Amino acid sequence: MKLFENRSPFNGARFTRRIILVLVDIAAFVLSSIAALWLRLEFTTHSLTQFPLFWNMIKLLPATVILAILIFAVFGLYNSLWEYAGEREVMSVFLASFVATAAQTALHYITRLYVPRSFWPINFVVLSAIVLTSRFSYRYIRRKVRLYQKTKSNSAGEKVSKLPKKRTMIIGAGSAGVTTLEELRESNFSQNNVICFIDDDKQKQGKFIHGVPIFGSRDRIEEAVARYGIEEIIFAIPSASAKVKADILDICNKTSCRLRTLPGIYQLVNGEVDVKKIRDVNIEDLLFRETVKLDFDETRRSYAGKTVLVTGGGGSIGSELCRQIASCSPKKLVILDIYENNAYDIQQELIRNYKDKLDLSVEIGSVRDRICLEYIFAKYRPDIVFHAAAHKHVPLMENSPCEAIKNNVFGTYNTADMAEKYGVSKFILISTDKAVNPTNIMGASKRLCEMIVQCRHDSNTNFAAVRFGNVLGSNGSVIPLFRRQIESGGPVTITDKRIIRYFMTIPEASQLVMEAGAMAEKGELFVLDMGKPVKIYDLAINMIKLSGLEPDVDIEVKEIGLRPGEKLYEELLIKSETLDKTKNDMIFVEKDASLSREDVEDKLSVLRNALDEYKQSHDKLTVKNAMKQTVPRFKDPEEINKNSENSEEMKRVAGK
């Protein structure tokens, strides 16, 4: 029974509301029974009490009322949020009224206190009408009271804006769209006047919701904007797939309207849609495909009860890995980073979120320092190592190639050695798409890191690498750079209008690494299906538009030329014909032939000699030539870019 069910501490206001509803329903049942008999006896009110049938009904009325209240409780009529009532609640009222009427009928036949047979259907109709009227009257009064309270609150402090309301279009005429319309109309904070809906459902098109027309499908968005003078568009389909959302918002972005969206469907489920929670559309909403689907149960089992070390744990990927690992109940989490500020930030966040539930240690040190690594591995004896420590900025590494080699290549070598020496179960390297046919020192250094990992397939430690593209919001990502440039008034600088890149979110990248770690066996190189590549020029244009500005009018888009070592088109795979599928259909294994340990040691010797020679000559070309010697696929960017311009992928993305 759900009448007074409440698992939370006693709530006096909620209890009072339920008592009021029960009293209203008692009155409704008494009134409907009398009205039904009165209608059946053709409005003979002057002599109604003289009919034996009337007294038959009165004798059983206390019992039937109690029975009806219990039935209403079973159907949840005292637990529903009538402020947000819809079809389900209306159906519950009809079903509860039908069952209550049927129970009343059965009771009369059992006691042989008969009433006319036509009394029952009349009573059902009248009872349903009275209960629904009472519920929706309650809903109306509650909303008016809430609006009055907001107005009163604002009169004492925050003032209600008197600015003209913006002509608004809502994308999605479903429950989320309807709720959004109601909130915008009733909220004190709303600056929106909803003019029309857009919905792809042909059954809805041409109809009205609360007097607002459903204009048409997404193909008519631009037409509706022009016809109605729309100033703002709200995307209200929180359950839409990432592709559908991106496609619709891409159309909206062709207009001059401000774009906004609901935070997520979970807030609709909880009845939390509020005008103040509707946020601006950001560039991530326009970029994405579906995120990687993960087997969280298996992933959690892989890290539960284990000691996990994350090198570079204060960085963008490393810190997110720490968050993900912390949620898997590890035995211990160890963060290693050379930059104390980042390490401190993630340490404090994890302490705040997990308090005494997470055994956490933070070490400040460099992966270049074998003595430091020896101490850390001997002290903590990690079961799993995620190696995220690396220099990643392409132009900076072109200018400082020795640092890329010392930190990326020999840092990985040192960490992998310690992992083997101290019996680590799994070692996962964070790699990059720039390692494929590299045209820069950073990419070549990461390719060497992959070789160091792959050559250890005979080790008792399971080594693996995970390769993915650009990560949104990471240090050095183009999107934060564009945001800063727009905020400062421009120009927005792009290296080349033809350049294209793959993108993914930090959580998605980290979760991929987590699952790869769970699947890793012997030297695999995991690659993510990154979806469609994005033209950086289009990215810049969209970001300017999302800021409410006009490209090359309010904000200049300036082409500054490719940076040293930069490609037009990043690749993820070395040989597509060698790809193997995994149990996750968005994660693949690149089966590139691995080198022997001896071959890798020979390459490292070449680099060591180049570093020694650099100390004498300070000639960066010496280091770059050594990298080309050790990474045969390392080519000059001009050669790669020339071939990329004529590739089918470049032509498709460029719209040629």
Side-chain angles (χ1 to χ4, degrees), residues 561-579:
L562 291 171
R563 299 174 297 178
E566 190 170 34
K567 287 182 184 181
L568 284 173
Y569 172 38
E570 297 291 3
E571 304 156 275
L572 282 173
L573 310 175
I574 295 176
K575 299 174 183 176
S576 59
E577 63 270 16
T578 63
L579 275 181

Side-chain angles (χ1 to χ4, degrees), residues 299 302-303 384-386 425-428 462 464-466 510-521 524 526:
T299 299
S302 298
Y303 302 107
I384 301 169
V385 174
F386 286 98
S425 175
K426 290 186 178 182
F427 179 101
I428 312 300
N462 294 329
V466 186
S510 300
Q511 289 168 2
L512 166 66
V513 174
M514 294 281 289
E515 181 157 351
M519 292 190 290
E521 293 179 355
E524 297 96 339
F526 293 97

Side-chain angles (χ1 to χ4, degrees), residues 85 90 159 164 168 200 207 215 218 248 293 313 321 468 537:
V90 172
K159 292 184 178 179
T168 303
D200 287 341
K207 297 178 181 178
F215 185 75
R218 72 180 76 173
I248 294 176
K293 296 178 181 179
L321 275 172
F468 47 81
Y537 175 73

